[in-house]
């Protein structure tokens, strides 16, 4: 396995590195075959609030579902108390015995269940950094990250996580949304949070309290809300949060997200200008972040002097093809499906 930094530069071996398993190509092909065999059995019974590992679903679908619930509550004069849950070492702390027990409840053929148990048992790994490798170590649990079956297995693990409030999941990213009908209503989020903590304890998992955040939308008085606390500390209240790659704020304005990604894309235009002879890969690297969930924000006007995503796309095309006319640029952008 190779440790991939979550942040740059990483400061903590425990929290800032993601262990990605390097699997042989034949093993990945076999996992894909097993996944194709499993999905028709699992999919009809999986939680419909889970948007990860479902064919035809994506982060955009999850964001649309979450925002629809929020906007409906706000338009009716209510408020929303949203809790963004982060599981500590989610894949690494999977209890394989619990996972096999849950898989058995889906009426999976016994031969396939035995194969899956064999797949998980007696695994060993070593760490590779550049050309240096560690010694082999046996694993007592966990799911391999970077495999086809890893995310699918975790969706099974978290499938029985339910809540009386709105609950949306994308593999291990879990969002609880309490829709409060009026400003004087009492928030029940502490009881929902307690139920979540009870589930994590029963499944030998842990909440990362430092990365679990809450955000209030609407007219609720934040000072009067009961705190969400654990033995390790209280959940921090924030006014903005990055969910599934999209920067959301408490006012549901897309200016924050557009300004952030436009600033990042603008910085890459210098490298485009330096390497324009190398062709389209540089354009794709520059605009890929502009296209993520563009269904939400592509038509939202920007405030301030920050250039719009479409303007950055045109600048990128102009850098790579300086002799193109405006009509040529628009035609090229259309062919690349940039708009």
């Amino acid at each position: 396995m190779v440790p991939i930094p979550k942040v740059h530069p990483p400061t903590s071996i425990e929290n800032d590195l993601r262990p990605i398993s390097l699997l042989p190509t034949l093993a990945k092909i076999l996992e894909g075959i097993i996944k194709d065999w499993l999905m028709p059995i699992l999919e009809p019974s999986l939680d419909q609030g889970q948007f990860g590992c479902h064919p035809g679903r994506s982060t955009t679908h999850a964001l649309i579902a979450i925002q629809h619930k929020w906007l409906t509550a706000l338009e009716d004069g209510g408020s929303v108390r949203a809790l963004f849950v982060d599981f500590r070492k989610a894949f690494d702390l999977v209890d394989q015995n619990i996972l096999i027990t849950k898989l058995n409840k889906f009426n999976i053929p016994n031969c396939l269940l035995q194969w899956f148990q064999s797949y998980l048992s007696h695994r060993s790994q070593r760490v590779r950094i550049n050309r240096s490798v560690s010694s082999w170590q046996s694993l007592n649990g966990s799911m391999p990250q970077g495999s086809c079956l890893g995310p699918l297995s975790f969706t099974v693990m978290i499938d029985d996580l339910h809540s009386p409030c709105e609950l949306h999941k994308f593999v291990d990213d879990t969002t609880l949304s309490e829709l409060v009908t009026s400003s004087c209503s009492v928030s029940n989020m502490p009881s929902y949070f307690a139920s979540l903590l009870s589930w994590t304890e029963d499944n030998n998992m842990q909440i990362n309290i430092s990365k679990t955040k809450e955000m209030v939308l609407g007219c609720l008085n934040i000072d009067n809300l009961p705190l969400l606390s654990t033995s390790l500390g209280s959940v921090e209240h924030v006014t903005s949060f990055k969910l599934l790659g999209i920067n959301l704020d408490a006012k549901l304005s897309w200016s924050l997200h557009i300004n952030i990604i436009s600033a990042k894309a603008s910085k890459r235009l210098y490298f485009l200008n330096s390497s324009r002879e190398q062709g389209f890969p540089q354009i794709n690297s520059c605009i890929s972040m502009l296209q993520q969930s563009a269904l939400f924000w592509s038509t939202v006007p920007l405030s301030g002097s920050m250039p719009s995503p479409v303007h950055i796309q045109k600048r990128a095309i102009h850098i790579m093809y300086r002799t193109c006319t405006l009509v040529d640029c628009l035609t090229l952008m259309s062919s690349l499906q940039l708009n």
Side-chain angles (χ1 to χ4, degrees):
M1 48 153 283
V2 175
I4 304 298
K6 298 180 181 179
V7 296
H8 295 279
T11 58
S12 170
I13 295 178
E14 180 70 18
N15 299 315
D16 294 345
L17 298 175
R18 178 180 286 109
I20 300 298
S21 299
L22 299 181
L23 302 176
T25 301
L26 288 178
K28 292 183 178 181
I29 294 174
L30 176 59
E31 287 191 15
I33 295 172
I34 297 298
K35 182 179 179 180
D36 292 340
W37 190 0
L38 277 171
M39 283 308 298
I41 303 172
L42 295 176
E43 189 175 5
S45 302
L46 287 175
D47 182 10
Q48 293 303 303
Q50 172 65 262
F51 290 85
C53 295
H54 275 272
R57 293 192 178 190
S58 65
T59 56
T60 300
H61 294 93
L63 289 165
I64 290 175
I66 293 171
Q67 192 186 43
H68 174 71
K69 293 295 184 181
W70 290 358
L71 289 175
T72 301
L74 294 175
E75 289 175 356
D76 293 338
S79 301
V80 178
R81 190 176 186 184
L83 178 66
F84 308 105
V85 180
D86 183 84
F87 291 101
R88 178 182 174 273
K89 297 291 184 181
F91 282 74
D92 297 336
L93 295 181
V94 169
D95 188 310
Q96 296 176 356
N97 293 325
I98 295 177
L99 175 60
I100 293 298
T101 301
K102 292 185 177 183
L103 279 170
N104 194 31
K105 295 179 181 179
F106 285 91
N107 297 320
I108 294 175
N110 188 56
C111 61
L112 187 56
L113 191 64
Q114 290 182 355
W115 181 93
F116 208 97
Q117 187 169 7
S118 175
Y119 166 79
L120 295 176
S121 302
H122 307 296
R123 299 185 69 92
S124 59
Q125 71 178 30
R126 61 178 179 175
V127 179
R128 190 192 78 186
I129 300 178
N130 297 327
R131 295 185 178 181
S132 301
V133 293
S134 69
S135 57
W136 289 99
Q137 297 289 333
S138 298
L139 300 179
N140 297 322
S142 80
M143 290 299 305
Q145 297 190 52
S147 64
C148 294
L149 295 178
L152 178 61
S153 301
F154 194 86
T155 59
V156 173
M157 187 72 181
I158 203 175
D159 185 69
D160 59 354
L161 172 59
H162 302 292
S163 176
C165 67
E166 296 292 336
L167 179 64
H168 298 87
K169 296 176 279 189
F170 191 89
V171 190
D172 59 329
D173 290 297
T174 303
T175 304
L176 278 70
S177 303
E178 181 188 16
L179 310 181
V180 184
T181 55
S182 65
S183 59
C184 60
S185 299
V186 177
S187 173
N188 296 315
M189 184 59 79
S191 64
Y192 304 151
F193 186 54
S195 176
L196 175 69
L197 293 176
S198 177
W199 180 90
T200 58
E201 184 177 352
D202 293 340
N203 288 271
N204 294 336
M205 298 184 67
Q206 301 175 20
I207 296 292
N208 188 342
I209 195 65
S210 64
K211 294 184 179 180
T212 298
K213 311 292 183 182
E214 72 161 325
M215 185 171 68
V216 174
L217 300 84
C219 55
L220 278 178
N221 190 340
I222 301 173
D223 297 331
N224 295 334
L225 293 179
L227 291 176
L228 306 178
S229 303
T230 69
S231 58
L232 299 177
S234 299
V235 176
E236 180 186 2
H237 172 79
V238 296
T239 57
S240 63
F241 186 80
K242 188 173 183 180
L243 178 64
L244 301 177
I246 301 298
N247 298 278
L248 302 173
D249 64 22
K251 297 181 180 180
L252 290 184
S253 167
W254 292 107
S255 296
L256 171 66
H257 177 70
I258 296 174
N259 289 345
I260 290 175
I261 64 171
S262 295
K264 290 182 179 179
S266 294
K267 293 178 181 179
R268 297 188 183 183
L269 292 181
Y270 169 78
F271 298 100
L272 279 178
N273 193 35
S274 302
S275 58
R276 62 179 181 272
E277 300 299 331
Q278 298 181 18
F280 285 107
Q282 286 73 26
I283 291 183
N284 291 334
S285 68
C286 179
I287 66 167
S288 60
M289 67 176 67
L290 300 175
Q291 289 303 106
Q292 183 178 11
S293 295
L295 179 65
F296 286 111
W297 51 262
S298 60
T299 60
V300 178
L302 279 175
S303 60
S305 59
M306 186 64 66
S308 69
V310 173
H311 178 63
I312 294 176
Q313 292 173 1
K314 292 180 179 179
R315 286 172 58 193
I317 294 292
H318 178 67
I319 289 173
M320 298 302 296
Y321 298 93
R322 295 185 184 277
T323 60
C324 285
T325 65
L326 177 60
V327 175
D328 293 333
C329 287
L330 294 177
T331 303
L332 183 57
M333 291 173 67
S334 177
S335 67
L336 292 174
Q337 297 181 349
L338 301 184
N339 285 327

